[in-house]
Amino acid sequence: MNRWLLEAGTSEDAVEQVVRFKDKVWNWVTDADMWANVLFSGLRILLIIILTRVIIKVVYQIIDRSMERETRGRMLANSRRFSTVGGLLKNVVTFICNFVMIMLILSEFNFNLAPVLAGAGVLGLAIGFGAQSLVKDVITGFFIIFEDQFAVGDVIQTGTYKGTVEMIGLRTTRLLSSTGEVHIIPNGTIINVTNYSLANALAVVDVPVKIERGLETTLALIGEALQGIEERNENILAYPNILGIQSMNTSEYVIRVAANCQPNARDAAQRQIQSDIKQALEKQTALEEAEAERKAREHEVQAEEAAGAVPRRQVAAAQEGEKGEN
């Protein structure tokens, strides 16, 4: 009997619980204020997403126009450089806008944003301390690209490394040396940079000349040898300047020649100047040797003729003496 009463009481409690749950569901479904809040929250979330996308698109267009204007305004602009800067700025804008959007959406769901922001700050601080070198490389790479310090194809020197820039990235820069080695340099280690490709170079050649050679003759010979050199070698921009005697000792004196040439073409210009002067000196030396040999031959002939004239005079004198006796 007691067991039956307990079972009957339990059934009634279950029915009451079902009825109360049904009432709660019905009240929740028919709660106009709650649905109004959900509707307005949904509209606000949708508006936040739409505004975020519009802002990102507008900022993208501003960045593209700015990069295009910078590209047109620079004679030596590198499209890869500005596309890299534009891509980086777009990524930063996208990250910031999406982060703000997510925070606003969470606030619509009544999340407490203080712990989230504090956790994000701690996480960012931990990442910053753990990747200091990476952050330094990226920041330095951004400023290298943004400030137009050097471009792909430029010849630069940083520290002990010198070569042609093959690639500029946000983290590393790749150099190809003149002997074929490829140097990959983290941007954070690039402190001082010497760019050999921004302005015209000056090729300087010192020509040693024997002290016996006349100065005026040597200067005239070098000037004649360098005539038209700017046409023979496109790296040389104008006729070189023959500056005169640079140094002198008891055995030789040095004539200095300087010429304006294309950026990073100093070695080629110096080789052309040296080659032209060397050929002229060789030609002049050959002419002088030929002239000396000709004079020596004439001297020998004259000496032989003079030596042969003495016996002939003696014979003639003897014949005249014999005629006189007869």
Side-chain angles (χ1 to χ4, degrees), residues 29-41:
V29 172
T30 58
D31 189 352
D33 295 335
M34 186 271 295
W35 285 113
N37 291 332
V38 170
L39 178 61
F40 287 123
S41 296

Side-chain angles (χ1 to χ4, degrees), residues 172-216:
T172 60
T173 295
R174 187 167 66 225
L175 299 182
L176 177 63
S177 68
S178 58
T179 54
E181 296 88 354
V182 176
H183 304 294
I184 300 176
I185 305 172
N187 291 330
T189 63
I190 299 177
I191 300 176
N192 298 319
V193 177
T194 303
N195 194 329
Y196 295 93
S197 300
L198 292 182
N200 293 334
L202 183 66
V204 179
V205 175
D206 290 334
V207 183
V209 183
K210 291 182 179 180
I211 199 70
E212 293 82 7
R213 287 186 175 273
L215 177 60
E216 296 298 329

Side-chain angles (χ1 to χ4, degrees), residues 10 50 83 89 179 184 187 279:
T10 303
I50 294 174
S83 64
L89 293 177
T179 54
I184 300 176
N187 291 330
Q279 291 178 6

Side-chain angles (χ1 to χ4, degrees), residues 136 166 179 186-187 196 201 204 215 218 225 237 247 284 300 305:
K136 182 179 179 182
E166 283 195 329
T179 54
N187 291 330
Y196 295 93
V204 179
L215 177 60
T218 302
L237 300 177
S247 62
Q284 181 65 22
E300 290 177 358
E305 291 178 352

Side-chain angles (χ1 to χ4, degrees), residues 144-310:
I144 287 174
I145 296 171
F146 186 75
E147 294 176 356
D148 195 13
Q149 296 180 11
F150 51 85
V152 175
D154 290 352
V155 177
I156 68 169
Q157 181 171 356
T158 172
T160 58
Y161 301 109
K162 180 180 179 181
T164 304
V165 179
E166 283 195 329
M167 184 273 294
I168 305 174
L170 288 176
R171 196 178 68 83
T172 60
T173 295
R174 187 167 66 225
L175 299 182
L176 177 63
S177 68
S178 58
T179 54
E181 296 88 354
V182 176
H183 304 294
I184 300 176
I185 305 172
N187 291 330
T189 63
I190 299 177
I191 300 176
N192 298 319
V193 177
T194 303
N195 194 329
Y196 295 93
S197 300
L198 292 182
N200 293 334
L202 183 66
V204 179
V205 175
D206 290 334
V207 183
V209 183
K210 291 182 179 180
I211 199 70
E212 293 82 7
R213 287 186 175 273
L215 177 60
E216 296 298 329
T217 304
T218 302
L219 294 177
L221 177 65
I222 293 175
E224 183 180 355
L226 297 179
Q227 290 293 335
I229 191 173
E230 63 273 20
E231 298 176 358
R232 295 192 297 273
N233 193 321
E234 61 182 7
N235 293 316
I236 301 176
L237 300 177
Y239 180 78
N241 295 322
I242 303 174
L243 303 179
I245 296 179
Q246 178 66 22
S247 62
M248 184 174 61
N249 54 38
T250 57
S251 61
E252 65 180 16
Y253 57 92
V254 177
I255 302 296
R256 171 158 291 186
V257 180
N260 289 321
C261 57
Q262 296 284 355
N264 195 39
R266 179 183 303 164
D267 294 338
Q270 290 176 349
R271 284 193 292 268
Q272 183 67 51
I273 294 173
Q274 291 171 345
S275 176
D276 290 351
I277 295 176
K278 181 65 167 59
Q279 291 178 6
L281 290 175
E282 287 178 349
K283 184 178 179 180
Q284 181 65 22
T285 301
L287 292 175
E288 291 175 354
E289 290 177 353
E291 182 66 17
E293 185 178 355
R294 185 185 65 80
K295 290 181 178 181
R297 190 178 300 111
E298 290 179 354
H299 181 71
E300 290 177 358
V301 171
Q302 291 175 358
E304 290 177 355
E305 291 178 352
V310 173

Side-chain angles (χ1 to χ4, degrees), residues 48-78:
I48 290 171
I49 294 174
I50 294 174
L51 286 177
T52 302
R53 297 303 157 199
V54 171
I55 292 172
I56 291 175
K57 187 173 181 180
V58 171
V59 175
Y60 275 17
Q61 291 180 353
I62 294 174
I63 293 173
D64 290 337
R65 291 178 181 176
S66 300
M67 293 298 104
E68 184 179 358
R69 184 169 59 253
E70 289 291 333
T71 303
R72 291 177 179 176
R74 298 191 181 188
M75 296 297 293
L76 300 176
N78 190 319

Side-chain angles (χ1 to χ4, degrees), residues 124-143:
L125 187 63
I127 293 175
F129 277 112
Q132 293 183 38
S133 61
L134 178 61
V135 174
K136 182 179 179 182
D137 292 341
V138 171
I139 294 175
T140 305
F142 171 78
F143 282 105

